[in-house]
Amino acid sequence: ETGVTQTPRHLVMGMTNKKSLKCEQHLGHNAMYWYKQSAKKPLELMFVYSLEERVENNSVPSRFSPECPNSSHLFLHLHTLQPEDSALYLCASSQDLIIGTSGEETQYFGPGTRLLVL
Amino acid sequence: GQNIDQPTEMTATEGAIVQINCTYQTSGFNGLFWYQQHAGEAPTFLSYNVLDGLEEKGRFSSFLSRSKGYSYLLLKELQMKDSASYLCAVGWGSTLGRLYFGRGTQLTVWP
C-alpha cells in the first residue's frame, strides 16, 4: 500500500463509451500525475497537477480529459477512445514538484487501472 | 525520452549479486530514481540519487556519477521475489515534475 488508490482496477469499454478513472491519495501530497504504460514502452507522463492547477499536458489527445477537484483527488475522463489506448493507467503523487531538491519530489504510484478498448 | 538506456533483460540465481546499469543524457540533470515493478502491479520506489556516490538501503544500493551520466542499482543476496522489472527514471530541471522513464530491465531470479 503506497497511500494512492485507483478505481476501477480493470475496465473494458467500447469506442463510443464514456468512462472515468479515479485516483485518491491519502498522503497529503501537493502534486498528482497521470501516466500511461503500454506493453514494451516506457512509462509516459500524460498530465501533471500541482495544488489543483494543471502544470503540464504532454500533447495528450483530447479524448483524455483530466480533472483535479482538490489536492487529494484526480480523475481521468475518457471518451471515444481507440483500441491503441488500451494500456495500464497509473496515478502517482508527490509532496513537491521540483525535482532535485530534498527527495520530497519522489513519486508514489497507485495500483493502476488496466484498460481495454474494444 | 532523454536517451535513458538500460538493459532489457537480466537473469541471476538466488543468493547472487546483480548490477543493473542506466545511462542518461547529462544536460540539465536533476535527480535519478529507481523503481521496482512486479508484473501487473504499480511501480514502487526503491531509491533516489541526486549527488554522486553510493546510497545503500539494505540489500539494495544505488550509485550515481553525474559527470558520466551513469547510475547502477545493485541487488545483493538475491531472492526469488526480486524477479521484477526495474525502472530507471530521470528528472530534468527545466520540466517541473516530469520524470523520464527508461524501458525497464526485466530481472529473472532462478533457484
Side-chain angles (χ1 to χ4, degrees), chain B residues 17-54:
Chain B
I17 299 173
V18 71
Q19 178 175 311
I20 303 174
N21 297 325
C22 174
T23 58
Y24 61 89
Q25 175 184 312
T26 58
S27 173
F29 169 86
N30 259 1
L32 186 144
F33 299 81
W34 283 97
Y35 284 85
Q36 179 192 63
Q37 187 176 25
H38 286 100
E41 297 182 14
T44 55
F45 169 72
L46 290 178
S47 69
Y48 172 62
N49 294 75
V50 65
L51 300 175
D52 286 353
L54 189 67

Side-chain angles (χ1 to χ4, degrees), chain B residues 34-83:
Chain B
W34 283 97
Y35 284 85
Q36 179 192 63
Q37 187 176 25
H38 286 100
E41 297 182 14
T44 55
F45 169 72
L46 290 178
S47 69
Y48 172 62
N49 294 75
V50 65
L51 300 175
D52 286 353
L54 189 67
E55 296 278 343
E56 296 189 72
K57 274 189 185 181
R59 294 190 299 115
F60 293 3
S61 304
S62 57
F63 171 83
L64 177 69
S65 169
R66 294 174 63 121
S67 62
K68 294 182 180 176
Y70 168 68
S71 173
Y72 66 73
L73 181 69
L74 192 71
L75 293 78
K76 302 176 185 175
E77 302 168 19
L78 281 174
Q79 302 174 10
M80 299 287 288
K81 67 178 182 179
D82 297 329
S83 293

Side-chain angles (χ1 to χ4, degrees), chain A residues 1-2 5-6 15 24 27 35 37 40 44 56-57 63 68 78 82 86-87 102 105-106 110 114:
Chain A
E1 277 295 325
T2 61
T5 59
Q6 289 185 245
M15 288 191 282
E24 183 173 2
L27 301 168
Y35 284 88
Q37 188 173 36
K40 312 222 169 165
E44 301 170 56
E56 174 132 1
N57 172 1
R63 57 186 184 269
C68 188
L78 317 171
Q82 305 297 312
S86 299
S102 60
E105 57 275 66
T106 300
R114 176 73 61 187

